Coordinates of all heavy atoms in Angstrom, one line a residue:
A361 N 49.9 93.8 137.6 CA 50.7 95.0 137.1 C 50.6 95.2 135.6 O 50.9 96.3 135.2 CB 52.2 94.7 137.6
D362 N 50.3 94.2 134.9 CA 50.1 94.3 133.4 C 48.8 95.1 133.0 O 48.6 95.4 131.9 CB 50.1 93.0 132.8 CG 51.5 92.3 132.7 OD1 52.6 93.0 132.9 OD2 51.6 91.1 132.5
T363 N 48.0 95.3 134.0 CA 46.7 95.9 133.8 C 46.8 97.4 134.2 O 47.7 97.7 135.0 CB 45.5 95.2 134.6 OG1 45.6 95.5 136.0 CG2 45.5 93.7 134.3
P364 N 45.7 98.2 134.0 CA 45.7 99.6 134.6 C 44.9 99.6 135.9 O 44.8 100.7 136.4 CB 45.0 100.3 133.4 CG 44.0 99.3 132.8 CD 44.8 98.0 132.8
I365 N 44.7 98.5 136.5 CA 43.9 98.5 137.7 C 44.7 99.3 138.8 O 45.9 98.8 139.2 CB 43.6 97.1 138.2 CG1 42.7 96.4 137.2 CG2 42.9 97.1 139.7 CD1 42.3 95.0 137.5
P366 N 44.2 100.3 139.4 CA 45.0 101.2 140.3 C 44.9 100.7 141.7 O 45.8 101.1 142.5 CB 44.4 102.6 140.1 CG 43.0 102.3 139.8 CD 43.0 101.1 139.0
R367 N 43.9 100.0 142.1 CA 43.7 99.7 143.6 C 43.5 98.2 143.8 O 42.7 97.6 143.1 CB 42.5 100.4 144.1 CG 42.3 100.4 145.5 CD 41.2 101.4 145.9 NE 41.1 101.5 147.3 CZ 40.2 101.1 148.0 NH1 39.1 100.5 147.5 NH2 40.1 101.2 149.4
I368 N 44.2 97.6 144.7 CA 44.1 96.3 145.1 C 43.8 96.2 146.6 O 44.5 96.8 147.4 CB 45.5 95.5 144.8 CG1 45.7 95.5 143.3 CG2 45.4 94.0 145.3 CD1 46.4 96.7 142.7
V369 N 42.9 95.4 146.9 CA 42.5 95.2 148.3 C 42.5 93.7 148.6 O 42.1 92.9 147.7 CB 41.0 95.7 148.6 CG1 40.6 95.4 149.9 CG2 41.0 97.2 148.3
Y370 N 43.1 93.3 149.7 CA 43.1 92.0 150.1 C 42.8 91.7 151.6 O 43.1 92.7 152.4 CB 44.4 91.2 149.7 CG 45.6 91.7 150.5 CD1 46.0 91.0 151.6 CD2 46.3 92.9 150.1 CE1 47.2 91.4 152.3 CE2 47.4 93.3 150.7 CZ 47.8 92.5 151.9 OH 48.9 93.0 152.5
A371 N 42.4 90.6 152.0 CA 42.0 90.3 153.4 C 43.2 89.7 154.2 O 43.3 89.9 155.4 CB 40.9 89.4 153.4
W372 N 44.0 88.8 153.6 CA 44.8 88.0 154.3 C 46.2 88.0 153.7 O 46.3 87.7 152.5 CB 44.3 86.5 154.4 CG 45.1 85.5 155.1 CD1 45.9 85.6 156.2 CD2 45.1 84.1 154.8 NE1 46.4 84.4 156.5 CE2 45.9 83.5 155.8 CE3 44.4 83.3 153.8 CZ2 46.2 82.1 155.7 CZ3 44.7 82.0 153.9 CH2 45.5 81.3 154.8
R373 N 47.2 88.4 154.4 CA 48.6 88.4 153.9 C 49.0 87.0 153.7 O 48.8 86.1 154.5 CB 49.6 89.1 154.8 CG 50.9 89.3 154.3 CD 51.8 90.2 155.1 NE 51.4 91.6 155.0 CZ 51.8 92.5 154.1 NH1 52.6 92.1 153.2 NH2 51.3 93.7 154.0
E374 N 49.6 86.7 152.5 CA 50.0 85.4 152.2 C 51.0 84.7 153.1 O 52.1 85.2 153.3 CB 50.6 85.3 150.8 CG 50.9 83.9 150.3 CD 51.3 83.8 148.9 OE1 51.7 84.8 148.3 OE2 51.3 82.7 148.3
P375 N 50.6 83.6 153.8 CA 51.6 83.0 154.7 C 52.7 82.4 153.8 O 52.5 82.1 152.7 CB 50.8 81.8 155.3 CG 49.4 82.1 154.9 CD 49.3 83.0 153.7
T376 N 53.8 82.1 154.5 CA 54.9 81.6 153.7 C 55.0 80.1 153.6 O 56.0 79.4 153.6 CB 56.3 82.1 154.4 OG1 56.3 81.6 155.7 CG2 56.5 83.6 154.2
L377 N 53.8 79.5 153.5 CA 53.6 78.1 153.4 C 54.1 77.6 152.1 O 54.8 76.5 152.1 CB 52.1 77.7 153.6 CG 51.8 76.3 153.8 CD1 52.4 75.7 155.0 CD2 50.2 76.2 153.8
F378 N 53.9 78.2 151.0 CA 54.3 77.7 149.6 C 55.3 78.7 149.0 O 56.1 78.3 148.2 CB 53.1 77.7 148.7 CG 52.1 76.7 149.3 CD1 50.8 77.2 149.6 CD2 52.3 75.4 149.4 CE1 49.8 76.3 150.0 CE2 51.4 74.5 150.0 CZ 50.1 75.0 150.3
T379 N 55.2 80.0 149.2 CA 56.1 81.0 148.6 C 56.4 82.0 149.7 O 55.9 82.1 150.7 CB 55.5 81.7 147.4 OG1 54.4 82.5 147.8 CG2 55.1 80.7 146.3
A380 N 57.3 82.9 149.3 CA 57.8 83.9 150.2 C 56.8 85.2 150.4 O 57.0 85.9 151.2 CB 59.1 84.5 149.8
G381 N 55.8 85.2 149.5 CA 54.9 86.4 149.6 C 55.5 87.6 148.9 O 56.3 87.5 148.1
G382 N 55.0 88.8 149.4 CA 55.5 90.0 148.9 C 54.7 90.7 147.7 O 55.2 91.7 147.2
G383 N 53.6 90.1 147.4 CA 52.8 90.7 146.3 C 52.4 92.1 146.6 O 52.4 93.0 145.7
A384 N 51.9 92.4 147.8 CA 51.6 93.8 148.2 C 52.7 94.8 147.9 O 52.5 95.8 147.3 CB 51.0 93.8 149.6
E385 N 53.9 94.5 148.5 CA 55.0 95.4 148.3 C 55.4 95.5 146.8 O 55.7 96.6 146.4 CB 56.2 94.8 149.0 CG 56.0 95.0 150.6 CD 55.2 93.8 151.2 OE1 54.9 92.8 150.4 OE2 54.9 93.9 152.3
F386 N 55.3 94.5 146.0 CA 55.6 94.5 144.6 C 54.6 95.5 143.9 O 55.0 96.4 143.2 CB 55.5 93.1 144.0 CG 55.6 93.2 142.5 CD1 56.8 93.3 141.9 CD2 54.5 93.1 141.7 CE1 56.9 93.3 140.5 CE2 54.5 93.2 140.4 CZ 55.7 93.3 139.7
L387 N 53.3 95.3 144.2 CA 52.4 96.2 143.6 C 52.5 97.6 144.0 O 52.3 98.5 143.2 CB 50.9 95.7 143.9 CG 50.6 94.3 143.1 CD1 49.4 93.7 143.7 CD2 50.4 94.6 141.6
E388 N 52.9 97.9 145.2 CA 53.1 99.2 145.7 C 54.2 99.8 144.9 O 54.2 101.0 144.5 CB 53.4 99.3 147.2 CG 52.0 99.0 148.0 CD 52.3 98.9 149.5 OE1 53.4 98.7 149.9 OE2 51.3 99.1 150.3
R389 N 55.3 99.1 144.7 CA 56.4 99.5 144.0 C 56.1 99.9 142.5 O 56.7 100.6 141.8 CB 57.6 98.6 144.0 CG 58.3 98.5 145.3 CD 59.7 97.8 145.3 NE 59.5 96.4 144.7 CZ 59.3 95.3 145.5 NH1 59.0 95.4 146.8 NH2 59.2 94.1 144.9
Q390 N 55.0 99.3 142.0 CA 54.5 99.5 140.6 C 53.6 100.7 140.6 O 53.0 101.0 139.7 CB 53.8 98.3 140.1 CG 54.6 97.0 140.1 CD 55.8 97.1 139.3 OE1 55.8 97.6 138.1 NE2 56.9 96.8 139.9
G391 N 53.4 101.4 141.8 CA 52.6 102.6 141.8 C 51.1 102.4 142.1 O 50.3 103.2 142.0
R392 N 50.8 101.1 142.5 CA 49.4 100.8 142.9 C 49.1 101.1 144.3 O 50.0 101.0 145.2 CB 49.1 99.3 142.6 CG 49.5 98.8 141.1 CD 48.9 99.7 140.0 NE 49.7 99.4 138.8 CZ 49.2 98.6 137.9 NH1 48.0 98.0 138.0 NH2 49.9 98.4 136.8
T393 N 47.8 101.4 144.6 CA 47.3 101.5 146.0 C 47.0 100.1 146.4 O 46.1 99.5 145.8 CB 46.2 102.5 146.1 OG1 46.6 103.8 145.5 CG2 45.6 102.6 147.4
V394 N 47.6 99.7 147.5 CA 47.3 98.3 148.1 C 46.8 98.5 149.5 O 47.4 99.2 150.4 CB 48.6 97.5 148.1 CG1 48.2 96.1 148.6 CG2 49.1 97.4 146.6
V395 N 45.7 97.9 149.8 CA 45.0 98.0 151.1 C 44.8 96.6 151.7 O 44.2 95.7 151.0 CB 43.7 98.7 151.0 CG1 43.0 98.8 152.3 CG2 43.8 100.1 150.4
E396 N 45.3 96.3 152.9 CA 45.1 95.1 153.6 C 44.0 95.4 154.5 O 44.0 96.2 155.4 CB 46.4 94.7 154.3 CG 46.2 93.4 155.1 CD 47.4 92.9 155.8 OE1 48.4 93.8 155.8 OE2 47.4 91.9 156.5
V397 N 42.9 94.5 154.5 CA 41.8 94.6 155.4 C 41.9 93.4 156.3 O 41.2 92.4 156.2 CB 40.5 94.6 154.6 CG1 39.3 94.8 155.5 CG2 40.4 95.7 153.5
S398 N 42.8 93.6 157.4 CA 43.2 92.5 158.2 C 41.9 92.0 159.1 O 41.9 90.8 159.5 CB 44.3 92.9 159.1 OG 44.0 94.0 159.8
R399 N 41.0 92.8 159.2 CA 39.8 92.4 160.1 C 39.0 91.3 159.3 O 38.2 90.6 160.0 CB 38.9 93.5 160.4 CG 38.2 94.2 159.2 CD 37.3 95.4 159.5 NE 36.9 96.2 158.5 CZ 36.0 95.8 157.6 NH1 35.3 94.7 157.8 NH2 35.6 96.7 156.6
L400 N 39.3 91.1 158.0 CA 38.7 90.0 157.3 C 39.6 88.7 157.1 O 39.2 87.8 156.4 CB 38.1 90.5 156.0 CG 37.1 91.5 156.0 CD1 36.8 92.0 154.6 CD2 35.8 90.9 156.6
A401 N 40.8 88.8 157.7 CA 41.7 87.8 157.5 C 41.2 86.4 158.0 O 41.4 85.4 157.4 CB 43.0 88.1 158.2
A402 N 40.5 86.4 159.1 CA 40.0 85.1 159.7 C 39.0 84.5 158.7 O 38.9 83.3 158.5 CB 39.4 85.4 161.0
E403 N 38.2 85.3 158.1 CA 37.2 84.9 157.1 C 37.9 84.3 155.9 O 37.5 83.3 155.4 CB 36.2 86.0 156.7 CG 35.1 85.6 155.9 CD 34.1 86.7 155.5 OE1 34.1 87.7 156.3 OE2 33.3 86.5 154.6
A404 N 39.0 84.9 155.4 CA 39.7 84.4 154.3 C 40.5 83.2 154.6 O 40.7 82.3 153.7 CB 40.7 85.5 153.9
R405 N 40.9 82.9 155.9 CA 41.6 81.7 156.3 C 40.7 80.6 156.4 O 41.1 79.4 156.2 CB 42.3 82.0 157.7 CG 43.6 82.6 157.5 CD 44.4 82.5 158.8 NE 43.7 83.2 160.0 CZ 43.8 84.4 160.4 NH1 44.5 85.2 159.7 NH2 43.1 84.8 161.4
T406 N 39.4 80.8 156.7 CA 38.5 79.7 157.1 C 38.4 78.6 155.9 O 38.5 77.4 156.3 CB 37.0 80.2 157.3 OG1 37.1 81.1 158.4 CG2 36.0 79.2 157.6
P407 N 38.3 78.8 154.7 CA 38.3 77.8 153.7 C 39.6 77.1 153.6 O 39.7 76.0 153.0 CB 37.9 78.5 152.3 CG 38.2 79.9 152.6 CD 38.1 80.1 154.0

Side-chain angles (χ1 to χ4, degrees):
D362 288 343
T363 75
I365 298 172
R367 187 167 188 256
I368 295 83
V369 176
Y370 69 93
W372 180 30
R373 185 168 291 270
E374 183 173 17
T376 57
L377 191 60
F378 302 118
T379 65
E385 291 80 8
F386 171 82
L387 288 163
E388 286 173 342
R389 286 192 305 273
Q390 302 304 306
R392 310 306 166 96
T393 300
V394 181
V395 179
E396 179 180 2
V397 184
S398 57
R399 66 181 166 77
L400 295 176
E403 188 175 345
R405 276 191 303 271
T406 299

